[in-house]
Amino acid sequence: MKQLALDIGLATGPTLAGFFAGPNEPALRHLTLWVGDARAPTLHSPVPTYLWGEGGCGKSHLLEAVGGALREQGAGVGWLTPAMSNPPEFDERWGAVLLDDVHLFTAVQQHAAFNWFVNAQSLQRGVVAAGAVPPADLHLREDLRTRLGWGHVFHLQVLSETERRAVLRQAADTRGLMLSDDVLDYMLHRFSRDLGSLMELLTQLDGYALQTQRAITIPLIRSMLENE
């Protein structure tokens, strides 16, 4: 059967607390300390952070989680992705700049990212960026590429199947759901390796199973997908 790609946003929004780190604990610990506590004033270090790794390793989850945490503290956030064809000008009210999938930035987006980066640094604001490759391998304008790589750099790893299985099993147990080994195998082998997508799939299955009054089985998963 052809593998399905399920890219579903988390309904409640990604959080740092909800990120299963596994081998990526150093990056999670760094960002958690950098964001600080929403209940107390936090001075975010202006030293940039760059996360890199293949798809499904959690880069976007961490960026969105950082953005959410900063907004909870009342800070505005500048957010730039390859989907933004006309990036806005830098806003001095931003507490940080977040740059996702920088390896896909066009010339226009690179110009904006460099401008944002320089302005953020001059105002002692943070920059957190993510890409698919290490800074040295980014095909970007040199002044942007070198700035992305001079701070904290973390190589994120995709969780192993064993780790993803353990997380799904624990999440299912918390919900009071019974997932057979066959169902777990199906979820892990037919859908995205991204843990966030798998967790959202579990949420959907929980709701669909409750709605149809059926146990979670492979036929139930197929039925749910056919009825979407």
Side-chain angles (χ1 to χ4, degrees), residues 10 15 37 41 47 54 118 128-129 166-167 172 192-193 202-203:
L10 295 177
T15 65
D37 192 338
V47 177
E54 63 178 292
V118 171
V128 184
V167 174
S192 169
R193 291 192 300 167
L202 182 63
T203 299

Side-chain angles (χ1 to χ4, degrees), residues 195-215:
L195 186 60
S197 295
L198 289 170
M199 295 297 284
E200 181 62 18
L201 173 62
L202 182 63
T203 299
Q204 287 187 311
L205 285 172
D206 186 12
Y208 191 71
L210 182 62
Q211 175 187 346
T212 58
Q213 295 296 297
R214 295 165 58 189

Side-chain angles (χ1 to χ4, degrees), residues 56-138:
C57 67
K59 303 185 299 293
S60 293
H61 178 117
L62 288 174
L63 281 188
E64 292 177 31
V66 166
L70 293 176
R71 283 188 287 270
E72 286 185 2
Q73 296 177 11
V77 175
W79 181 269
L80 181 58
T81 75
M84 300 173 64
S85 57
N86 294 301
E89 294 294 325
F90 179 84
D91 190 329
E92 292 189 1
R93 293 172 296 181
W94 291 343
V97 165
L98 306 179
L99 312 171
D100 200 9
D101 288 331
V102 297
H103 59 287
L104 299 177
F105 279 6
T106 64
V108 170
Q109 291 161 346
Q110 291 178 49
H111 175 78
F114 177 75
N115 177 268
W116 287 16
F117 200 115
V118 171
N119 277 283
Q121 293 292 289
S122 67
L123 295 173
Q124 296 289 289
R125 310 289 168 77
V127 177
V128 184
V133 297
D137 296 335
L138 288 170

Side-chain angles (χ1 to χ4, degrees), residues 21-43:
N24 302 315
E25 178 63 31
L28 176 62
R29 184 168 58 250
H30 166 77
L31 291 173
T32 301
L33 290 172
W34 184 81
V35 166
D37 192 338
R39 296 169 298 182
T42 304
L43 181 61

Side-chain angles (χ1 to χ4, degrees), residues 2-6 158-169 179-199 201-202 205 218 221:
K2 182 179 179 181
Q3 184 174 8
L4 301 175
L6 187 67
V158 175
L159 296 183
S160 69
E161 181 175 322
T162 299
E163 290 167 328
R164 282 177 281 140
R165 181 183 294 270
V167 174
L168 285 173
R169 178 77 76 186
L179 293 185
S180 67
D181 289 338
D182 286 345
V183 167
L184 278 172
D185 288 341
Y186 189 83
M187 293 174 67
L188 291 167
H189 297 159
R190 296 293 190 273
F191 298 95
S192 169
R193 291 192 300 167
D194 174 49
L195 186 60
S197 295
L198 289 170
M199 295 297 284
L201 173 62
L202 182 63
L205 285 172
I218 293 174
I221 299 176

